[in-house]
Amino acid sequence: MDQGWHYRWQCSAPGSEDAASAADFARQLGVHPLIARLLIQRGMTEHADAAAFFEPKLSNLHDPALMPGLVRAAERLDLAVRDRQPIVIYGDYDVDGISASAILWHMLTTAGADVSVYIPDRIDEGYGLNDQAIAQLASQSPQPVIVSVDCGITASAPAMVAANAGVDLIITDHHHFDADDLPGAYALVHPRLPGSTYPCGELCGAGVAFKLAWQFAKTHTGSERLPDLYRDLLLDLLALAALGTVADVVPLVDENRIITRFGLGQMKRTRFAGLNALIDRTGLRSKELEAFHVGFVLGPRLNASGRMGDAMDGVRL
């Protein structure tokens, strides 16, 4: 045995009090003491927290209305649908942005929206909202509502272009931001905005888009208990949310763990022809889909569309 490794392990081993605590926790959960120690090290010291970790439940997803700006955004999108005002989803060219764009497109299309998707060119335009694209979209007649996914939280200048053009811009994002320089949009949707009490701040862009799709469905139908059409669609959209969640390498805890657990299970039952074709083409039909397959088999193929050609190919798929 490597004596140096043995010494380091002994130095980091828990004291008798910690070991007793882990042993007691292990007995409560019916798991090996090592598992209990790992859970405790990750901040899960209550039986309910550990149970939620081991057995994720869709009922443990948080109310989307808790997320800052989300209710206002859903109400504006609902108004656009009812007024037949065009909606443009402004996405990103990676798996998270592609998945987020598709999630909102499916939900809004199901509601009868006049909706399209805009993905900037990776080389010519770069990441996120840009002045020229916003100005071009704002020049359309009739003017659309623009809703970003997976980008925009630092786009103060493009937001000003939209405001000056009289366009309502909804920004949904999950990236880091400067709290002193937030863009002046119609609605800012982000789980970690200043003052936010949203329980899961680690959602990816597709996760945020999924929560907006859920809140939109509640607003549009006027009911917390969704009709089968929207409930079944949300279950299907979990597969797309899981794609973005795993590919964007966000921590698989809380809602991210729930989305991934059920989204992976939904993938081979998906109604989406493109995702079915991708699963078949990669030889995964006979396998139990795991996070590995998203991160190293499905995800890279979707990313390739934005890196080698047009990311809209990924959205269309």
Side-chain angles (χ1 to χ4, degrees):
M1 176 189 287
D2 177 355
Q3 293 301 316
W5 179 90
H6 179 70
Y7 174 76
R8 288 192 298 271
W9 185 88
Q10 291 289 351
C11 288
S12 62
S16 58
E17 185 177 336
D18 292 337
S21 176
D24 182 57
F25 198 36
R27 282 191 294 272
Q28 293 178 37
L29 298 174
V31 300
H32 192 282
L34 178 59
I35 300 296
R37 279 170 50 194
L38 290 171
L39 291 171
I40 291 170
Q41 288 174 5
R42 284 154 178 76
M44 285 174 274
T45 58
E46 300 295 329
H47 188 281
D49 296 333
F53 183 83
F54 285 129
E55 293 292 338
K57 297 179 180 178
L58 287 174
S59 58
N60 287 337
L61 289 172
H62 306 304
D63 183 352
L66 297 174
M67 192 177 299
L70 197 138
V71 170
R72 179 173 169 83
E75 290 174 345
R76 183 62 185 90
L77 292 174
D78 179 52
L79 179 62
V81 172
R82 297 183 186 282
D83 289 348
R84 296 298 300 164
Q85 181 181 9
I87 299 170
V88 176
I89 300 167
Y90 192 116
D92 186 29
Y93 38 68
D94 67 359
V95 178
D96 194 18
I98 288 172
S99 302
S101 298
I103 286 169
L104 270 193
W105 186 90
H106 279 291
M107 178 55 72
L108 293 171
T109 299
T110 298
D114 175 3
V115 58
S116 59
V117 178
Y118 182 90
I119 305 289
D121 183 90
R122 187 187 194 98
I123 304 301
D124 296 337
E125 297 177 84
Y127 167 79
L129 304 179
N130 67 80
D131 295 2
Q132 293 76 20
I134 295 297
Q136 185 269 322
L137 293 172
S139 69
Q140 296 178 5
S141 181
Q143 270 191 334
V145 174
I146 301 174
V147 53
S148 79
V149 291
D150 194 32
C151 63
I153 197 64
T154 62
S156 295
M160 184 64 70
V161 172
N164 290 338
V167 169
D168 286 340
L169 171 65
I170 297 168
I171 291 175
T172 79
D173 203 351
H174 72 113
H175 292 100
H176 294 295
F177 56 84
D178 180 355
D180 296 323
D181 188 28
L182 290 170
Y186 179 87
L188 291 179
V189 179
H190 193 297
R192 297 191 307 275
L193 284 179
S196 172
T197 58
Y198 192 75
C200 183
E202 300 296 339
L203 289 172
C204 68
V208 174
F210 178 82
K211 301 312 286 277
L212 177 54
W214 182 2
Q215 183 63 40
F216 169 83
K218 294 199 295 183
T219 301
H220 188 67
T221 62
S223 175
E224 290 286 325
R225 187 177 179 82
L226 295 176
D228 288 349
L229 174 65
Y230 290 95
R231 183 182 59 81
D232 292 346
L233 175 59
L234 283 169
L235 289 174
D236 275 334
L237 294 178
L238 281 170
L240 303 185
L243 281 175
T245 298
V246 175
D248 225 47
V249 203
V250 292
L252 292 184
V253 296
D254 202 329
E255 286 192 299
N256 291 336
R257 189 171 179 83
I258 299 171
I259 288 170
T260 301
R261 163 69 176 81
F262 289 94
L264 287 173
Q266 196 70 21
M267 278 186 195
K268 290 204 296 186
R269 298 193 297 269
T270 182
R271 74 173 76 177
F272 305 134
L275 183 52
N276 272 314
L278 193 59
I279 289 169
D280 287 336
R281 182 65 174 175
T282 53
L284 296 179
R285 181 62 62 187
S286 61
K287 300 181 183 297
E288 181 177 351
L289 291 180
E290 300 177 354
F292 169 84
H293 298 118
V294 174
F296 295 96
V297 180
L298 301 176
R301 286 165 168 78
L302 289 170
N303 266 330
S305 64
R307 293 177 178 176
M308 301 178 67
D310 184 357
M312 277 303 297
D313 289 339
V315 177
R316 296 184 190 102
L317 182 69

